[in-house]
Amino acid sequence: MAATALRSARRLNALGGNQLLVRRLTTAVAATSRREAIRQAKPFSDFLTDNFDRQHDYLRISVTERCNLRCLYCMPEEGVPLSPPDHLLSTPEIVYLSSLFVSEGVSKIRLTGGEPTVRRDIVPLMQSIGSLRSQGLRELALTTNGISLWRKLDSMVEAGLTGVNLSLDTLDPFQFQIMTRRKGFDAVMKSIDRILEMNKLGAGVKLKINCVVMRGLNDREILPFVELGREKDIEVRFIEYMPFDGNKWSQNKMLSYSEMLDIIRAKYPTLRQVKGHKNDTSKTWEIPGFVGKIGFITSMTHNFCGTCNRLRITSDGNLKVCLFGNAEVSLRDILRKSGEEGMSAEQQNELLEVIGAAVKRKKEKHAGMGELENMKNRPMILIGG
């Protein structure tokens, strides 16, 4: 990995590429050996290991409840009641929690929302979290709708951004306005093009497009989305429509993984599955000759709970050990016991004990509920995805 980064830096420098990216790649070389030494020097944290021996090294942090779209599957058109501002985690609190989780073995942090790019200090926040690379953080990712991303992308890459999951459910500008209840298709495409352009300069940002497929609404666009990967290094991930408060879910709207495969295979019979990593949330496929890949997130028909390594912190500071579970514990309340003098060792240990107890209560799958369509949960925008 270090050798690859070093070669990329030298090649980019020789081509007269963006010097910020050159410095970032060169720094990555030096940081790699330190990260590996840290990870190998101690066993994985017991606080982040559940009773099924799942090690949670991936933390998703919602940095805002606000969003500049009103997607059909996410929330009602009028929006949802938002938390009072003083209930939300501050930037220092988010940075502290990020540092604490990294010190316990988290190697990947994803910032979500709402829409994280609408947070005013999103770039400085990413810079602070990105500085945790020397402590073991390997990936800093973002889930976004792409509306405002292109304006901030260069600064985010310099801050340490390594991956973007961009939500896009249609390639038709008119349909986009229907599904999101807002305009902005051109801005989203501009963000995609900018990521691809920066990657040609060596930025190395993994780009995945997440498409929630709904029968009778955008299922006819499966093949056009597949075509995006013919000449572009993009992974399009098709997501089975999941139930959350306010999204008017119904079984009839849900198009299954197997149905989507059949649609693609009918045109591309050479479609073949790619071996993935044990913690992958998606099943990856490829079409010979295509640059990009295709993924499927199959929460409704083929759960991937057995290898789940993800924890979530909501904007109001609650820890969720399962996306589909109601159980939450407040980390914010413990953080704010410390006052201006900061966390004492005793308070930090209390925080870790609360985190560890919540992780140990994590069920084997789907929060122990059985049928997901019968669940009661927060709207997706208040969970953070």
Side-chain angles (χ1 to χ4, degrees), residues 316-362:
D316 54 356
N318 285 355
L319 176 68
K320 284 182 75 78
V321 297
C322 177
L323 172 63
F324 299 105
N326 279 320
E328 300 179 3
V329 293
S330 178
L331 306 183
R332 179 201 64 203
D333 292 348
I334 300 173
L335 281 175
R336 293 184 180 177
K337 287 181 183 179
S338 61
E340 295 183 1
E341 63 275 12
M343 294 282 286
S344 66
E346 182 180 348
Q347 288 167 330
Q348 179 169 300
N349 188 63
E350 178 189 358
L351 188 58
L352 285 171
E353 292 289 347
V354 167
I355 292 168
V359 171
K360 290 292 189 293
R361 290 193 297 269
K362 186 170 181 174

Side-chain angles (χ1 to χ4, degrees), residues 165-183:
N165 286 5
L166 193 147
S167 301
L168 180 64
D169 304 311
T170 177
L171 296 173
D172 179 337
F174 179 71
Q175 181 79 347
F176 179 92
Q177 192 168 342
I178 292 174
M179 296 185 71
T180 66
R181 305 183 180 109
R182 297 290 188 275
K183 295 181 180 180

Side-chain angles (χ1 to χ4, degrees), residues 84-95:
D86 62 346
H87 286 200
L88 303 178
L89 290 177
S90 66
T91 294
E93 288 169 338
I94 293 174
V95 173

Side-chain angles (χ1 to χ4, degrees), residues 92-372:
E93 288 169 338
I94 293 174
V95 173
Y96 176 82
L97 287 173
S98 298
S99 178
L100 180 65
F101 275 87
V102 168
S103 72
E104 292 299 313
V106 162
S107 60
K108 178 177 180 178
I109 291 177
R110 177 176 297 280
L111 302 182
T112 69
E115 170 49 42
T117 61
V118 304
R119 185 179 174 112
R120 291 183 179 179
D121 67 344
I122 185 62
V123 171
L125 174 59
M126 291 180 70
Q127 290 170 339
S128 295
I129 296 175
S131 69
L132 299 175
R133 287 191 294 262
S134 61
Q135 300 176 35
L137 183 69
R138 290 192 291 179
E139 297 181 61
L140 176 57
L142 189 75
T143 294
T144 175
N145 59 34
I147 295 288
S148 303
L149 179 64
W150 60 274
R151 295 192 187 99
K152 304 175 181 181
L153 187 60
D154 289 49
S155 297
M156 288 180 170
V157 170
E158 177 59 18
L161 180 68
T162 60
V164 171
N165 286 5
L166 193 147
S167 301
L168 180 64
D169 304 311
T170 177
L171 296 173
D172 179 337
F174 179 71
Q175 181 79 347
F176 179 92
Q177 192 168 342
I178 292 174
M179 296 185 71
T180 66
R181 305 183 180 109
R182 297 290 188 275
K183 295 181 180 180
F185 178 81
D186 290 342
V188 174
M189 299 309 293
K190 189 171 183 177
S191 292
I192 292 173
D193 290 341
R194 181 58 183 152
I195 294 172
L196 295 173
E197 179 185 349
M198 293 185 74
N199 281 345
K200 289 179 180 178
L201 294 174
V205 176
K206 295 178 184 176
L207 174 59
K208 298 178 182 178
I209 294 179
N210 288 343
C211 176
V212 177
V213 181
M214 289 171 278
R215 191 188 307 276
L217 189 60
N218 65 340
D219 50 334
R220 67 184 182 277
E221 294 197 62
I222 290 175
L223 292 177
F225 268 108
V226 169
E227 283 289 333
L228 282 181
R230 181 180 290 275
E231 297 180 354
K232 296 178 180 178
D233 190 9
I234 294 174
E235 180 177 339
V236 176
R237 304 196 303 177
F238 298 108
I239 303 174
E240 291 179 339
Y241 184 36
M242 294 178 284
F244 287 92
D245 274 10
N247 73 351
K248 299 180 181 178
W249 185 91
S250 76
Q251 182 72 47
N252 293 334
K253 293 180 184 178
M254 201 275 290
L255 196 73
S256 71
Y257 165 47
S258 60
E259 290 176 279
M260 289 188 266
L261 274 180
D262 288 343
I263 290 171
I264 299 171
R265 273 206 191 100
K267 182 169 183 180
Y268 301 106
T270 58
L271 181 71
R272 63 193 181 195
Q273 191 160 12
V274 178
K275 185 177 181 180
H277 302 290
K278 71 171 186 175
N279 298 124
D280 285 348
T281 58
S282 67
K283 298 169 177 61
T284 306
W285 294 69
E286 65 181 6
I287 299 170
F290 276 49
V291 177
K293 290 183 171 56
I294 306 161
F296 299 88
I297 297 179
T298 60
S299 297
M300 298 303 295
T301 61
H302 297 80
N303 78 74
F304 35 83
C305 302
T307 57
C308 182
N309 65 333
R310 293 165 297 284
L311 299 173
R312 291 170 171 82
I313 297 177
T314 62
S315 293
D316 54 356
N318 285 355
L319 176 68
K320 284 182 75 78
V321 297
C322 177
L323 172 63
F324 299 105
N326 279 320
E328 300 179 3
V329 293
S330 178
L331 306 183
R332 179 201 64 203
D333 292 348
I334 300 173
L335 281 175
R336 293 184 180 177
K337 287 181 183 179
S338 61
E340 295 183 1
E341 63 275 12
M343 294 282 286
S344 66
E346 182 180 348
Q347 288 167 330
Q348 179 169 300
N349 188 63
E350 178 189 358
L351 188 58
L352 285 171
E353 292 289 347
V354 167
I355 292 168
V359 171
K360 290 292 189 293
R361 290 193 297 269
K362 186 170 181 174
K363 303 296 184 183
E364 186 175 9
K365 67 176 185 177
H366 287 167
M369 287 186 306
E371 299 300 321
L372 287 183

